[in-house]
Amino acid sequence: MDTEYVDKKVLKCQGLVDNATSDEQKKLYQGYLDFWTKKLPKAQRPEIITKKEEAKAEKILEENAELARLEMIAMEKAKVEAEELAEAKALKIAELEAKHRAELAALDEPEPEPEELNEINFELLYPNKKAYRTQNGERIETIAYKEYLNKTESE
Amino acid sequence: MAAGDNECRMRLYEYRDIGGGILGDLPEHIKAASPQLLDIYIVATPADAAGFLEIDPPTSVLSSVGEVVETISSSADDGNDAGDHLQGISAIGINGSNKMVTVQMLATSAAWTETLHTEIWKNIFHSFGSKWGTGDRDPAGAVDIRTVGDTVLVELVAGDNEGNGAAFVVPHGHACMLYGGRLTRITTTGAWANDEGVAIRIVYIDTIDALSEGGAGAPAPADRAINWLEYIVAGQYGNQYVDIPKGFIFPEDTQIIHQDSSVVDGGEPYTLHLQYLIWKK
């Protein structure tokens, strides 16, 4: 028998088996498929994948896909967690740095500006003393005021 | 027509195609079921020996859970080319929904190599040519309807638009009534042989009978209750036809085949017209 003809029949039967609408019908078409497949020399018999086998392969693929999906989710989760951790860490570091900077800043705070040496400040500091006395209409620095000025300058 | 030859024309008419008058005396509930009419017209000559033989049997009986079929022509001159001869073949049978149908199957290539069709069939009873190109009005080669396993079911021989097959099965879930007919003895000489005649049988095998065929403990074929209706036209005088009465009912799944025989041993031509009404219960 013409091999091309048998080939066509095998393909046709394969299609019928795959599209059978009931088990009985599938069995019937499978019988035809076997009938025609046997007519081909063994070497030329096409690899026949039945719908059942196809479904099995699909199931395995689906399961693999599910596993891959779960792995992907786990990886994503780990990534997010790592990112969150890094962010928290960065925040913490930033916070600590800020705190440290604040402390450093506190340490480096400049000395209060020395009070201006004048009689007002002197009299504020020593309310019961005078910075000047008047002698013969001339203003003369008092001893206390002189000491105040000398003392403050020498500090 | 030589002794032993026979031809059957089978057609299925839908309710809308049946003349109103023909169903006038039917009970309303049958009319309400929109019955179909299976019309069988046989032209034949029994063998030159007494003994009933099946008239125009199908090449193979398809009794299936439901399967698709193929068509093929032995001639490249049949096909879907405009200049081809036969382009389409129709089949009468029971489809996957247990309905008796006529379906036209068209060639899809110019050489009409094997063509797979989509209709699901449980049985196929008969075929006839139903579409032609400009080449000729009958098939150039043998055109057949076959299973995918290449078992030929019914066929047209080259030059003949009417295929074989004169038997049928009452579809599951349906009832069938013999709706009359006529057996007519015919002659080419104008004279009737006194000691000869024609006999026909309508053989009906119901599901129980068919089931009991073969298998352990089943009755032998000769003991099975196969029943038939028999009609004879014979002798030199009187009417050379017999009207077949209507009213006999066949239940679902009944197989009905037709047989003929010479009354003595000389095959004489005859025509047999039978109508069966089929409706869903």
Side-chain angles (χ1 to χ4, degrees):
Chain A
M1 193 173 276
D2 183 8
T3 312
E4 198 184 331
Y5 179 77
V6 180
D7 272 343
K8 269 191 203 171
K9 287 281 191 182
V10 168
L11 276 177
K12 215 176 268 185
C13 292
Q14 184 60 61
L16 291 172
V17 170
D18 289 347
N19 294 300
T21 51
S22 67
D23 287 347
E24 282 175 320
Q25 217 176 54
K26 187 178 276 185
K27 200 171 158 190
L28 180 86
Y29 291 142
Q30 186 65 48
Y32 287 139
L33 177 61
D34 294 346
F35 171 81
W36 287 112
T37 308
K38 279 177 194 161
K39 290 202 177 294
L40 284 175
K42 236 179 185 175
Q44 290 179 31
R45 287 180 195 172
E47 191 188 342
I48 291 166
I49 301 166
T50 62
K51 207 166 182 176
K52 195 177 171 185
E53 287 166 338
E54 212 172 69
K56 204 174 164 186
E58 268 175 21
K59 201 178 167 191
I60 290 168
L61 280 177
E62 274 171 20
E63 281 171 0
N64 287 346
E66 180 63 15
L67 277 177
R69 198 177 69 83
L70 290 173
E71 271 176 26
M72 185 70 82
I73 289 170
M75 278 168 70
E76 286 287 325
K77 204 175 163 187
K79 198 177 162 188
V80 168
E81 280 173 358
E83 277 172 5
E84 281 174 356
L85 199 66
E87 209 172 299
K89 204 172 168 184
L91 275 174
K92 186 77 181 169
I93 289 169
E95 199 178 301
L96 287 172
E97 277 177 355
K99 196 178 169 188
H100 186 62
R101 269 199 301 273
E103 282 170 3
L104 284 177
L107 285 175
D108 290 344
E109 202 172 289
E111 288 290 317
E113 284 291 319
E115 283 174 14
E116 206 177 330
L117 299 175
N118 56 30
E119 63 173 301
I120 298 167
N121 284 335
F122 173 77
E123 284 176 5
L124 279 173
L125 191 62
Y126 305 104
N128 53 349
K129 290 181 181 175
K130 295 278 184 188
Y132 293 92
R133 63 186 171 85
T134 308
Q135 189 176 356
N136 303 327
E138 194 182 341
R139 290 184 77 218
I140 299 166
E141 287 174 343
T142 61
I143 294 166
Y145 187 51
K146 276 181 186 172
E147 279 174 1
Y148 162 75
L149 290 175
N150 292 336
K151 190 183 173 187
T152 313
E153 274 172 1
S154 65
E155 276 180 357
Chain B
M1 190 168 267
D5 285 352
N6 41 48
E7 274 277 8
C8 171
R9 170 163 292 168
M10 181 188 284
R11 294 292 183 270
L12 179 68
Y13 298 102
E14 296 298 323
Y15 184 63
R16 61 177 179 272
D17 303 327
I18 307 169
I22 192 175
L23 304 178
D25 56 350
L26 276 179
E28 288 301 323
H29 76 279
I30 296 179
K31 284 189 206 171
S34 298
Q36 297 169 296
L37 188 76
L38 187 69
D39 188 271
I40 292 175
Y41 186 72
I42 292 165
V43 181
T45 302
D48 288 332
F52 284 92
L53 294 171
E54 185 174 350
I55 302 165
D56 207 14
T59 312
S60 302
V61 175
L62 175 67
S63 180
S64 170
V65 294
E67 62 185 280
V68 291
V69 294
E70 290 182 335
T71 55
I72 189 170
S73 172
S74 64
S75 169
D77 288 338
D78 294 317
N80 67 356
D81 205 54
D84 275 339
H85 296 208
L86 194 73
Q87 295 184 326
I89 183 172
S90 291
I92 300 173
I94 297 175
N95 70 7
S97 309
N98 291 318
K99 182 171 167 55
M100 203 177 267
V101 289
T102 304
V103 176
Q104 186 184 52
M105 291 175 268
L106 299 174
T108 55
S109 61
W112 206 335
T113 49
E114 71 284 352
T115 304
L116 188 67
H117 301 277
T118 53
E119 186 75 25
I120 300 279
W121 295 95
K122 287 189 171 177
N123 304 93
I124 287 186
F125 310 134
H126 187 81
S127 67
F128 55 93
S130 57
K131 193 181 181 204
W132 303 267
T134 55
D136 206 346
R137 299 288 291 176
D138 51 34
V143 179
D144 66 56
I145 299 174
R146 54 177 64 188
T147 67
V148 180
D150 275 3
T151 301
V152 177
L153 302 169
V154 285
E155 55 196 316
L156 306 179
V157 296
D160 190 353
N161 280 316
E162 201 67 55
N164 56 333
F168 70 98
V169 177
V170 180
H172 191 73
H174 289 66
C176 175
M177 181 200 286
L178 176 59
Y179 203 64
R182 177 174 282 193
L183 169 65
T184 308
R185 184 185 179 194
I186 52 178
T187 173
T188 50
T189 62
W192 309 103
N194 192 36
D195 58 350
E196 197 47 87
V198 176
I200 66 108
R201 277 179 182 172
I202 299 170
V203 179
Y204 53 101
I205 308 166
D206 72 21
T207 321
I208 300 296
D209 299 329
L211 283 176
S212 59
E213 186 176 8
D223 297 332
R224 281 190 283 132
I226 295 177
N227 308 296
W228 58 80
L229 307 172
E230 189 168 307
Y231 301 94
I232 298 174
V233 184
Q236 193 171 5
Y237 306 106
N239 287 338
Q240 296 301 319
Y241 65 88
V242 56
D243 279 328
I244 294 167
K246 55 184 155 187
F248 198 92
I249 295 285
F250 305 99
E252 63 182 355
D253 301 322
T254 301
Q255 301 168 44
I256 296 175
I257 62 173
H258 303 95
Q259 296 179 335
D260 65 7
S261 171
S262 307
V263 169
V264 186
D265 57 8
E268 290 184 331
Y270 72 93
T271 62
L272 173 63
H273 186 206
L274 293 169
Q275 292 187 313
Y276 294 90
L277 211 55
I278 295 154
W279 66 92
K280 193 168 172 58
K281 292 192 286 183

